[in-house]
Amino acid sequence: MNRLGTALLAAVEALVTVGVGVGIALVPLTLLWGFEYGLQVDWDVFWKAAGSVWLVGHGVDVTFLLGSAVAKASGVSGAAAPIPVTLAALGFAVVTVWLGARAGRRFAETEHRVTGVLVGTAAVALLGLGLALSSTSAATQPSVWQAVVFPALWFGIPALVAAEVCRRRRGLGPDPVTARVLDQLDRVPAVWRSIAGFGLRAGTAATACVVAAAGILVGFLLLGSFAEVITLYERSHAGFLGGIALTVGQLAFLPDFVAWATAWLVGPGFAIGTGSSVSPIGTALGPIPGLPVFGALPASGHTFGLLWVLVPVLAGFAAGGFMRPRLVRALGSADSALHRALGGVATGIVAGLLTGAVAWVSSGSFGPGRLADVGPHALVVGAFAALEVGVPAVVALAVGQDLVRLPERSWSRERWHESDEPVEVPSEGSLLDALERAGAGRTTGTHRFVVEEAHHPVGRTTASESDTGTETPTTAPALAAADTDRHVELPDWARTGGVADVPADTTERAGGMRDRLRGAADGVRDRAGGLKQRAGGLRSRASDLRERAGGLRDRVTGADAERADTTPDDRPDRHRPAAPQAAGARDEQPAFPWSTEEFVAGRDDVDEQPAAPTTPATSTTPTTPTKRWDQTDQVPEDELPWWRRPQGDR
């Protein structure tokens, strides 16, 4: 988007911001004009009223002039004189701040964010000027210069902050004005920048905690005083549309009520009229406006009211304690008790300024007479807040532990370690030094050690090499070459087989130990060869026994008389025909008489002999029944074809 497009976008954003704020006040008044007054009154009156309300919501002073008849009918002393209203209905300002920050984020998406912020702020100032001029009448007189400045500030400051935050998050370069401001800040010493930054963060966090607690307190008070609030609604006789307008007006003052509750938590409290006071110690009220929301005000003090002062105290202590590691890390070598104490002081100052500003914008004049003094006293509230937040912050920074959180990455797990302890460097040439260089002693990173296996044959060392204590591998040259980029060379004394810096007697003992181990290995190898020969003999004897068992079976069954010539013919091109079947002989058995299940199960041709039966009286161990095969499907080996006869162990 070019510069002209950014300027047009900023103008539209400013128009939407002002239109939304004015519309919140104008819609209920227009409904009153149509339904309650029957369109009998000029609509210009309600437009001027909506413009005046919007200006009051941004802190613009508006003076109201009541006629003599209306002043006498009100019965309020001083009503005939001009009535300045300086109490801001901060609900309208909150809407402007939100829309301004939203516009600033949009300006940051363009290349001309500064142009967008300036044009948007100028547009809001022009619209405020137009509203001030159009709202001026015999009954209302807004301050023109305030109408130009205050709404523009409520829009421009949030837009600028949001645009700068988005720029920093996206890593974009600053504009010339911002770059000059940053250069001026860089000239400040780093120690003071760290202290000021810590005070800004911690003080803002503590103030936000107190304001949040005040908002929760206001909600509980409204719920607990629901009956009184409804009673005041009924006494107002505003009707349905009047009740809607009254509710919108009270919602516009809701941020003011939260600011008053903040002053109440801090301690000094606030006032609703001259001479009145609402604080944790006690409540003293005079005649107050009949707004329904005032029904939630406490009628008297509380016995343990001062305990509420612990809210800012705990907020300051928590902010200092939780953010202490950030301060220690930012100070670095300049970390000291004095600098930490200054960080706590800066926290208290920032909290006092912010709380005092909240009290200042929520105080002012709300009507004639004694209502000219409404809200908290800004200086007193700010001073109390600075003490109640600053002192606990100093204590938290002084008693905290010296543990600093040093994250490896912003999205990964954080580790804790003592930052003040120096790291001892091991001596050069030792195994610890080699491990340290390899990265085993580091705590700020994750190291993976990969073991690679080389599949290459390694030759044995000769006797001469064993005597000298050195080994010469017979692998490829690639195995002998060392990868200096991925491996760390160990010292000579730590290498395998190395004898550098080793006493002579140790070398002799090592050589003797190797000879003894080699002799033991040769003995084990010889014994293994003898066992192998014995196993071959046992296999030969088993083959002889199998042949003798076959001859005995043939002699019993008479298979010699029935057999034909079964001399095997080893010629692959000749096949011997089957022998003729003798008269009265049994049916020919198939060449493969077993079923598939029996073959897969591992059936053996050799019959298993059953175990000798034992009586229960003499049996001491349970016997396992021997599995016997059906004898009708057995075929003598001599009757099998030559290609299926056993050929002996191969």
Side-chain angles (χ1 to χ4, degrees):
M1 184 178 294
N2 55 16
R3 192 179 301 274
L4 179 60
T6 304
L8 293 177
L9 174 63
V12 172
E13 291 287 345
L15 182 61
V16 170
T17 300
V18 176
V20 170
V22 175
I24 293 175
L26 185 60
V27 169
L29 294 177
T30 303
L31 293 176
L32 285 177
W33 171 66
F35 292 96
E36 293 292 335
Y37 295 96
L39 308 179
Q40 299 298 322
V41 183
D42 294 338
W43 184 77
D44 180 70
V45 175
F46 296 94
W47 165 259
K48 292 180 179 181
S52 299
V53 169
W54 186 82
L55 292 174
V56 168
H58 291 80
V60 178
D61 297 340
V62 179
T63 302
F64 294 90
L65 299 174
L66 301 179
S68 56
V70 177
K72 290 180 180 180
S74 63
V76 179
S77 59
I83 303 173
V85 176
T86 60
L87 179 64
L90 295 178
F92 294 96
V94 169
V95 173
T96 303
V97 168
W98 172 57
L99 294 176
R102 177 171 170 268
R105 290 193 297 269
R106 292 190 177 183
F107 298 155
E109 297 177 358
T110 65
E111 299 179 356
H112 308 283
R113 53 184 175 276
V114 178
T115 301
V117 172
L118 294 178
V119 173
T121 304
V124 172
L126 291 177
L127 292 174
L129 176 61
L131 284 175
L133 295 178
S134 62
S135 300
T136 302
S137 63
T140 57
Q141 296 180 359
S143 176
V144 177
W145 73 269
Q146 291 182 0
V148 174
V149 175
F150 289 171
L153 292 178
W154 285 107
F155 177 87
I157 294 177
L160 179 61
V161 172
E164 182 64 19
V165 170
C166 292
R167 180 195 69 81
R168 294 177 66 89
R169 287 181 177 178
R170 297 176 182 178
L172 301 178
D175 55 271
V177 178
T178 305
R180 181 173 299 180
V181 173
L182 294 177
D183 291 340
Q184 295 297 327
L185 293 177
D186 291 339
R187 295 181 180 180
V188 180
V191 175
W192 299 111
R193 288 203 311 269
S194 302
I195 294 175
F198 173 81
L200 183 61
R201 295 185 182 93
T204 304
T207 304
C209 291
V210 177
V211 173
I216 296 174
L217 179 61
V218 170
F220 277 109
L221 288 176
L222 290 175
L223 291 177
S225 306
F226 183 75
E228 289 80 359
V229 173
I230 294 300
T231 301
L232 291 176
Y233 263 109
E234 294 175 351
R235 291 180 181 178
S236 64
H237 302 287
F240 178 73
L241 294 177
I244 293 177
L246 187 60
T247 302
V248 172
Q250 292 178 111
L251 289 176
F253 282 97
L254 184 60
D256 297 81
F257 302 150
V258 175
W260 296 355
T262 302
W264 190 84
L265 290 176
V266 172
F270 58 94
I272 304 179
T274 304
S276 63
S277 176
V278 181
S279 66
I281 300 176
T283 301
L285 292 175
I288 59 176
L291 295 177
V293 72
F294 286 158
L297 291 174
S300 59
H302 300 276
T303 305
F304 301 100
L306 287 177
L307 292 178
W308 290 100
V309 181
L310 293 177
V311 173
V313 172
L314 294 177
F317 188 85
F322 281 110
M323 301 184 69
R324 182 182 184 277
R326 181 188 293 270
L327 176 61
V328 175
R329 183 172 61 235
L331 291 175
S333 60
D335 181 26
S336 64
L338 177 60
H339 290 157
R340 298 176 191 174
L342 291 177
V345 173
T347 301
I349 293 174
V350 172
L353 291 176
L354 293 177
T355 309
V358 170
W360 176 68
V361 297
S362 62
S363 61
S365 175
F366 192 62
R370 60 187 306 272
L371 292 179
D373 185 11
V374 176
H377 196 284
L379 292 178
V380 177
V381 172
F384 271 78
L387 292 175
E388 294 171 1
V389 174
V391 174
V394 172
V395 174
L397 292 173
V399 302
Q401 298 179 356
D402 291 331
L403 289 175
V404 181
R405 181 161 42 193
L406 299 177
E408 298 176 1
R409 300 180 181 88
S410 59
W411 59 86
S412 62
R413 184 179 61 182
E414 297 177 348
R415 298 181 179 179
W416 294 75
H417 64 87
E418 295 283 348
S419 62
D420 297 334
E421 296 294 334
V423 180
E424 297 182 0
V425 181
S427 60
E428 190 71 23
S430 63
L431 179 60
L432 295 178
D433 178 64
L435 294 176
E436 177 65 25
R437 284 181 289 167
R442 301 174 187 171
T443 59
T444 57
T446 303
H447 304 275
R448 294 182 175 90
F449 297 91
V450 181
V451 179
E452 296 182 356
E453 183 177 358
H455 300 279
H456 298 282
V458 180
R460 295 180 54 188
T461 58
T462 61
S464 61
E465 292 170 349
S466 301
D467 296 337
T468 58
T470 59
E471 296 180 2
T472 305
T474 60
T475 58
L479 282 177
D483 190 354
T484 57
D485 296 337
R486 301 177 56 186
H487 302 280
V488 177
E489 184 179 0
L490 296 177
D492 295 337
W493 64 269
R495 298 178 182 176
T496 303
V499 296
D501 300 333
V502 181
D505 55 343
T506 305
T507 306
E508 295 176 358
R509 289 198 300 268
M513 181 63 68
R514 284 195 298 270
D515 295 339
R516 293 171 62 184
L517 292 177
R518 187 179 294 108
D522 293 339
V524 172
R525 191 179 298 106
D526 295 339
R527 292 182 61 187
L531 292 176
K532 188 174 181 181
Q533 293 177 0
R534 292 181 60 185
L538 292 176
R539 190 179 302 109
S540 300
R541 293 180 60 186
S543 178
D544 296 340
L545 291 175
R546 189 181 301 109
E547 292 177 1
R548 294 174 61 185
L552 180 61
R553 183 173 53 200
D554 293 342
R555 188 178 305 170
V556 172
T557 58
D560 294 334
E562 301 172 359
R563 260 184 330 196
D565 185 11
T566 57
T567 303
D569 190 356
D570 297 333
R571 290 175 296 178
D573 56 335
R574 298 292 300 274
H575 299 281
R576 185 178 298 277
Q581 182 71 21
R586 60 179 179 177
D587 296 338
E588 182 181 4
Q589 295 291 337
F592 194 82
W594 311 297
S595 63
T596 305
E597 291 80 6
E598 294 174 347
F599 179 76
V600 173
R603 174 176 176 177
D604 195 356
D605 292 343
V606 180
D607 296 337
E608 298 179 358
Q609 299 298 330
T614 58
T615 59
T618 61
S619 177
T620 58
T621 58
T623 60
T624 304
T626 304
K627 184 176 181 180
R628 295 180 58 83
W629 298 95
D630 189 3
Q631 299 297 330
T632 60
D633 59 356
Q634 299 293 335
V635 179
E637 295 180 357
D638 296 338
E639 296 181 3
L640 293 175
W642 65 268
W643 63 85
R644 294 196 62 249
R645 296 175 185 176
Q647 301 298 325
D649 295 336
R650 295 181 180 179

